[in-house]
């Protein structure tokens, strides 16, 4: 029979990689907690129209990439392709706005998009992200960007990362800009791809996202959104730039950065990495002051970002920040059936004290258990045989130094504390 294989664009996270994932998750948790962000976990699937309405029918995600099916009762369901819409749905449904004047939330988990798989682009991938609901002020934008920067820093990949920011204005500003952009593009429209021509009709700003060099050249002299900013938009952007300078976070203003999703207003930003190759976006985000209302909630401003965990890990690997595999402190070797319950008990006590302890569950010979302890790079072993059971003792071996000592079973915790202090 043919062996089963994982589905194209999905990956196993194997034991020699999961430690790195946990380390990244821990950094995310620590930094988010430092800024007062609590974790939120939402379901893996949602009603399809949450995404078509929230993210936008015209976006790549909704128009081509969603895993959607009709459930037995006729409801259309979708594996989540992004998390902001889900978090906003939960914010409204659970009335989180009434619990805190600003809801500061972070999340992590798998997402699903039917994209063409390549390095750094998968069909099931993972993101962590943050969302802050309740403040329309630029200091909230600065806080969100500072969290992203803090995490990049702690992961050792900030040196190769660059921040691009833009302000795509409030809706008022975009009405004028859309018109001007369309007027500029119209004479060249036949030189644009089918996709861009489609966007021209439905969401002209997204044409600025084009990857085609030919289109980029035409767009070089296109009108820029900052010329259409309202006074309020410009002020917001100026404040944000000042805050970023004060925080020592360098950035480039990129007036072509619009980001792929429909819900953004004012600030948008992206961190890219020079060590990632073609898929160089590490994380992206922006302000979405209209999203909560559009999804049926009260008018609530919000801003957040989402980061690709696989890409973070690739960047961390390339930046030589090596995370070591878990190595046991103690390998507990029990070579007598009668000693097994004592070995389980003592091992658990040691674990409670913070030691990583492995107990053999194969009832192997002392020689093969010792071999295993060495293979796992364990620092110490404890040996419990017939004689030790009778005497209430244990044999302690320091595998790094090759020394050995007999200790009393009742003294084992103190012994290890003295040893490691
Ligand atoms: P987005 O939700 O499209 O703004 O993406 C945010 C981040 O998620 C990107 O900057 C990438 O790091 C990551 N990302 C997006 N799509 C994929 C994918 N198909 N595979 C792996 N990472 C992805």
């Amino acid at each position: 029979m043919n062996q089963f294989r994982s589905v194209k664009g999905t990956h196993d996270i194997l034991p020699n990689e999961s430690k790195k994932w946990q380390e990244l998750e821990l950094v995310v948790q620590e930094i988010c907690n430092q800024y007062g962000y609590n974790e939120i976990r939402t379901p893996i699937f949602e009603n399809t129209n949450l995404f078509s309405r929230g993210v936008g029918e015209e976006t790549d995600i909704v128009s081509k990439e969603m895993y959607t099916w009709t459930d037995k009762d006729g409801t259309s369901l979708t594996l989540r392709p992004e998390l902001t819409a889900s978090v906003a749905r939960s914010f409204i449904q659970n009335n989180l706005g009434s619990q805190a004047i600003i809801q500061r939330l972070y999340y992590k988990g798998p997402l699903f998009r039917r994209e063409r798989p390549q390095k750094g682009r998968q069909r099931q991938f993972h993101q962590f992200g943050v969302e802050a609901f309740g403040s329309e002020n630029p200091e909230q934008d600065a806080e969100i960007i500072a969290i992203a920067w803090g995490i990049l820093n702690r992961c050792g990949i900030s040196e190769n990362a660059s921040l691009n920011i833009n302000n795509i204005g409030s809706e008022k500003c975009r009405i004028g800009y859309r018109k001007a952009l369309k007027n500029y593009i119209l004479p060249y429209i036949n030189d644009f791809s089918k996709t861009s021509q489609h966007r021209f009709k439905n969401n002209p700003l997204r044409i600025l996202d084009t990857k085609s060099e030919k289109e980029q050249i035409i767009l070089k002299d296109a009108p820029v959104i900052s010329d259409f900013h309202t006074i309020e938009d410009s002020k917001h952007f100026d404040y944000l730039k000042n805050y970023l300078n004060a925080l020592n976070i360098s950035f480039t203003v990129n007036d072509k950065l619009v980001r792929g999703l429909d819900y953004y207003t004012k600030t948008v930003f992206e961190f890219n990495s020079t060590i990632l190759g073609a898929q160089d976006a590490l994380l992206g985000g922006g302000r979405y002051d209209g999203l909560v209302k559009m999804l049926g909630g009260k008018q609530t401003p919000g801003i957040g970002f989402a980061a690709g965990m696989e890409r973070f890990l690739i960047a961390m690997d390339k930046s030589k920040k090596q995370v070591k595999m878990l190595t046991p402190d103690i390998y507990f070797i029990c070579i007598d059936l009668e000693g097994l319950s004592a070995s389980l008990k003592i091992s658990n006590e040691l674990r409670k004290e913070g030691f990583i302890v492995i107990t053999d569950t194969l009832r192997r010979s002392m020689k093969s258990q010792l071999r295993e302890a060495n293979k796992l790079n364990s620092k110490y072993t404890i040996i419990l045989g017939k004689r030790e059971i009778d005497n209430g003792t244990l044999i302690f071996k320091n595998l790094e130094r090759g020394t050995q000592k007999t200790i009393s079973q009742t003294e084992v915790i103190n012994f290890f504390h003295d040893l490691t202090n």
Side-chain angles (χ1 to χ4, degrees):
M1 204 172 92
N2 283 341
Q3 277 182 357
F4 288 111
R5 302 197 55 88
S6 58
V7 176
K8 194 172 165 195
T10 71
H11 290 279
D12 300 312
I13 297 170
L14 297 172
N16 64 349
E17 298 158 336
S18 55
K19 190 78 196 350
K20 297 181 193 169
W21 282 79
Q22 289 169 355
E23 296 240 341
L24 174 58
E25 285 163 4
L26 202 64
V27 170
V28 170
Q29 183 184 326
E30 274 175 19
I31 305 245
C32 289
N33 287 168
Q34 279 170 4
Y35 282 84
Y37 285 64
N38 289 300
E39 188 179 4
I40 183 163
R41 299 186 188 197
T42 61
I44 300 284
F45 59 94
E46 299 268 1
N47 283 298
T48 303
N49 54 16
L50 171 68
F51 303 115
S52 36
R53 258 223 284 165
V55 181
E57 297 275 8
E58 291 305 326
T59 58
D60 285 351
I61 294 180
V62 173
S63 62
K64 326 191 253 222
E65 296 169 0
M66 295 206 299
Y67 283 99
T68 296
W69 72 98
T70 307
D71 206 18
K72 285 198 175 131
D73 64 1
T75 323
S76 180
L77 300 174
T78 293
L79 291 180
R80 60 187 192 193
E82 64 106 57
L83 261 152
T84 302
S86 304
V87 174
R89 194 257 321 128
S90 177
F91 174 85
I92 300 165
Q93 182 178 339
N94 299 296
N95 208 6
L96 297 183
S98 69
Q99 294 173 15
I101 187 134
I102 297 182
Q103 269 291 352
R104 295 180 160 93
L105 306 168
Y106 80 94
Y107 59 76
K108 57 183 185 317
L111 304 173
F112 308 86
R113 293 183 194 170
R114 202 175 191 296
E115 297 195 85
R116 197 168 51 79
Q118 53 183 281
K119 194 169 172 59
R121 183 184 278 168
Q122 295 168 205
R123 291 179 168 179
Q124 175 174 339
F125 63 101
H126 299 76
Q127 284 185 344
F128 66 85
V130 300
E131 316 286 357
F133 295 92
S135 168
E136 58 184 12
N137 292 322
E139 40 282 25
Q140 188 64 65
D141 308 22
E143 177 177 292
I144 292 283
I145 294 175
I147 295 176
W149 178 247
I151 296 173
L152 286 161
N153 228 330
R154 272 282 297 280
C155 290
I157 53 176
S158 57
E159 272 166 36
N160 304 302
S162 57
L163 169 63
N164 277 277
I165 60 170
N166 193 16
N167 182 316
I168 57 168
S170 44
E171 188 48 33
K172 208 155 128 206
C173 141
R174 283 205 302 271
I175 294 173
Y177 181 61
R178 250 182 236 125
K179 222 182 200 167
L181 186 63
K182 283 179 90 164
N183 284 343
Y184 174 84
I185 291 174
L186 194 60
Y188 309 100
I189 193 71
N190 292 329
D191 296 324
F192 280 79
S193 67
K194 285 267 164 308
T195 316
S196 291
Q197 289 182 10
H198 185 77
R199 287 176 177 169
F200 182 82
K201 283 194 210 120
N202 301 293
N203 193 349
L205 250 71
R206 293 230 31 231
I207 298 180
L208 298 175
D209 253 354
T210 180
K211 299 281 174 290
S212 144
E213 238 175 77
K214 186 174 149 201
E215 297 182 11
Q216 283 172 353
I217 291 170
I218 301 174
L219 290 169
K220 239 172 143 201
D221 296 322
V224 288
I225 191 129
S226 52
D227 290 341
F228 294 79
H229 281 165
T230 61
I231 294 174
E232 156 60 25
D233 294 332
S234 310
K235 262 206 214 150
H236 190 103
F237 204 26
D238 287 343
Y239 267 114
L240 174 61
K241 289 186 267 186
N242 286 339
Y243 294 143
L244 292 177
N245 285 330
L247 288 165
N248 244 335
I249 301 175
S250 37
F251 59 87
T252 308
V253 174
N254 173 356
D255 55 31
K256 299 280 183 308
L257 180 70
V258 290
R259 308 239 335 112
L261 317 182
D262 275 5
Y263 49 61
Y264 288 119
T265 49
K266 291 188 184 161
T267 307
V268 288
F269 63 95
E270 231 169 57
F271 273 101
N272 298 80
S273 172
T274 49
I275 48 179
L276 275 184
Q279 302 304 319
D280 67 345
L282 275 169
L283 70 87
R287 181 164 272 288
Y288 44 81
D289 289 349
L291 180 66
V292 172
K293 185 151 186 222
M294 187 172 66
L295 294 177
K298 285 195 211 119
Q299 170 55 35
T300 312
I303 177 162
F305 73 75
M309 297 182 75
E310 282 82 1
R311 293 194 198 168
F312 256 67
L313 290 165
I314 297 173
M316 283 160 76
D317 264 352
K318 289 201 174 158
S319 77
K320 304 265 184 307
K321 187 181 183 315
Q322 295 298 331
V323 185
K324 275 206 248 116
M325 279 278 283
L326 202 67
T327 51
D329 297 307
I330 305 159
Y331 194 102
F332 203 120
I333 299 176
C334 178
I335 42 171
D336 191 293
L337 268 185
E338 267 177 55
L340 278 177
S341 39
S343 86
L344 294 176
K345 185 166 162 270
I346 296 169
S347 297
N348 256 0
E349 282 165 7
L350 285 162
R351 287 187 193 112
K352 276 191 215 144
E353 299 300 313
F355 296 102
I356 300 173
V357 188
I358 294 197
T359 38
D360 184 81
T361 51
L362 289 171
R363 301 184 178 180
R364 288 178 290 181
S365 69
M366 173 147 116
K367 202 167 149 207
S368 53
Q369 290 192 50
L370 252 180
R371 201 180 307 126
E372 176 83 2
N374 278 311
K375 199 172 144 205
L376 294 174
N377 286 323
S378 182
K379 290 186 205 116
Y380 316 112
T381 56
I382 293 175
I383 303 168
L384 179 62
K386 177 95 186 80
R387 194 160 32 138
E388 290 74 34
I389 297 169
D390 293 343
N391 306 340
T393 57
L394 297 164
I395 298 172
F396 160 80
K397 258 180 186 291
N398 186 328
L399 292 177
E400 282 166 356
R401 296 204 185 135
T403 52
Q404 172 168 332
K405 201 173 167 184
T406 301
I407 55 175
S408 149
Q409 283 181 21
T410 52
E411 286 299 310
V412 64
I413 301 286
N414 287 341
F415 175 81
F416 273 97
H417 272 311
D418 291 347
L419 191 73
T420 50
N421 280 330

